[in-house]
Amino acid sequence: MTKEQLKEFPLIEHLTELRSRIINSFLFFIFAFIFCYTFKDDIYNLITYPLISTLQNNHISNKIIYTKITEAFTSTISITLASAFLISIPYFAIQLWLFITPALYKNEKKYFFPYILITPILYLSGVIFCYFLVLPQTFNFLISFANGKRATPLTLQAKITEYIDLTMTLLNAFGLCFLLPIFLILLIKFNIIKRQSLIKSRKYAIVLIFIIAAILTPPDVISQILLAIPLMLMYELSILLTKQKSESKKNWKFHLPKLKFFKKK
């Protein structure tokens, strides 16, 4: 597509298109919410399974309590909203792709589309990794502190809202952190940062990764390490994946004036 073949959209058409994509995404999210609410009990069992199985393995009562009369309702809504968001992520990515496609030339579309496609896959991979590996190890580690020869034994009574907050924070943290390669690769592609800068800043990046892991995870070493290690691997993967493109100087040219929405005549 050449410049002569392009006609710039008026600003009002930009905003109309953006509104249309937002409305479509919102309607899909509402549909996903209704769908998830229909299976709210099954989703509740799925979300609480890591804790319940850990409690059973440690021979602890697997009851989860609530202390406010509204907590049963609010916790159900929270779980349903989070589940609907996870289901909606691929659709959000599609809407984003359809919105920005007119701003890209043909060769740019070819390179940009795989990143839109793989974004929800990486996010869901982070969520799955956290669910099956991080949550059980984290709960085992935290519960182990209740063991010991104490005059007054400690008995766990897990509160549903606190559990949901902790679990959703971890799931979202791992999902977002698994997007690090996409973020770094796009910055390199657009010449915002250099690949050599990532290599030279590796030791500072490792320190920053552990700081981020400490902020996003509970105050235990296990979950921090389980988040920091994938982040470091993702950082190295970003450097590795951009090696060939960077050395062959096939990076994209990032120019704000051209980043507009167009249509063919």
Side-chain angles (χ1 to χ4, degrees):
M1 185 182 295
T2 63
K3 291 183 179 181
E4 290 76 15
Q5 294 176 306
L6 302 176
K7 180 180 179 182
E8 188 175 339
F9 275 9
L11 177 60
I12 188 64
E13 294 191 35
H14 290 250
L15 298 177
T16 301
E17 177 72 9
L18 177 60
R19 184 185 64 180
S20 175
R21 299 301 171 192
I22 292 176
I23 291 175
N24 289 341
S25 299
F26 178 75
L27 291 177
F28 185 88
F29 179 78
I30 294 298
F31 172 79
F33 177 84
I34 295 173
F35 175 81
C36 292
Y37 188 81
T38 304
F39 299 95
K40 60 182 183 299
D41 293 334
D42 296 319
I43 295 175
Y44 171 85
N45 294 335
L46 183 67
I47 292 295
T48 57
Y49 176 77
L51 177 62
I52 297 301
S53 61
T54 303
L55 294 176
Q56 290 176 344
N57 292 336
N58 288 273
H59 306 290
I60 300 174
S61 173
N62 57 6
K63 292 182 180 179
I64 301 179
I65 67 170
Y66 67 97
T67 58
K68 295 180 181 178
I69 197 167
T70 58
E71 263 186 301
F73 170 75
T74 56
S75 61
T76 300
I77 297 300
S78 297
I79 292 175
T80 307
L81 285 172
S83 304
F85 178 75
L86 286 177
I87 293 176
S88 302
I89 286 176
Y91 187 80
F92 292 161
I94 292 173
Q95 291 299 306
L96 175 63
W97 168 249
L98 293 175
F99 179 66
I100 66 176
T101 294
L104 304 174
Y105 292 115
K106 186 175 180 180
N107 64 319
E108 293 174 331
K109 293 178 184 179
K110 180 178 66 174
Y111 288 109
F112 194 74
F113 179 72
Y115 295 101
I116 292 292
L117 182 65
I118 201 173
T119 295
I121 296 175
L122 284 177
Y123 182 88
L124 293 176
S125 297
V127 170
I128 293 172
F129 175 83
C130 178
Y131 181 85
F132 286 103
L133 180 62
V134 178
L135 290 180
Q137 295 298 327
T138 299
F139 295 148
N140 269 317
F141 178 81
L142 295 175
I143 290 174
S144 67
F145 284 92
N147 300 328
K149 297 180 180 180
R150 294 184 172 92
T152 304
L154 297 176
T155 302
L156 174 64
Q157 289 185 319
K159 190 177 178 183
I160 184 61
T161 52
E162 292 178 357
Y163 172 77
I164 292 174
D165 291 341
L166 174 61
T167 302
M168 292 305 171
T169 298
L170 285 174
L171 291 176
N172 285 316
F174 276 82
L176 292 174
C177 289
F178 268 56
L179 298 180
L180 181 63
I182 298 295
F183 179 69
L184 292 179
I185 289 172
L186 288 178
L187 290 180
I188 293 174
K189 292 287 188 182
F190 286 124
N191 288 323
I192 297 177
I193 61 174
K194 300 293 183 181
R195 178 175 177 272
Q196 291 300 322
S197 299
L198 295 181
I199 297 175
K200 293 179 181 178
S201 305
R202 182 181 281 114
K203 58 183 179 181
Y204 303 107
I206 292 175
V207 174
L208 181 60
I209 284 171
F210 273 95
I211 293 175
I212 293 174
I215 294 174
L216 295 179
T217 59
D220 68 277
V221 178
I222 300 297
S223 59
Q224 291 173 12
I225 293 177
L226 289 175
L227 178 57
I229 291 177
L231 275 176
M232 289 188 290
L233 292 176
M234 294 293 178
Y235 188 87
E236 296 298 328
L237 181 63
S238 304
I239 296 175
L240 181 63
L241 292 177
T242 55
K243 181 178 181 180
Q244 183 178 358
K245 299 282 185 180
S246 178
E247 291 178 351
S248 59
K249 299 181 179 180
K250 291 183 180 179
N251 290 6
W252 301 338
K253 293 182 179 180
F254 182 72
H255 36 73
L256 284 175
K258 192 183 292 186
L259 204 61
K260 299 176 183 178
F261 286 82
F262 300 95
K263 67 179 180 179
K264 292 184 179 180
K265 290 185 177 180

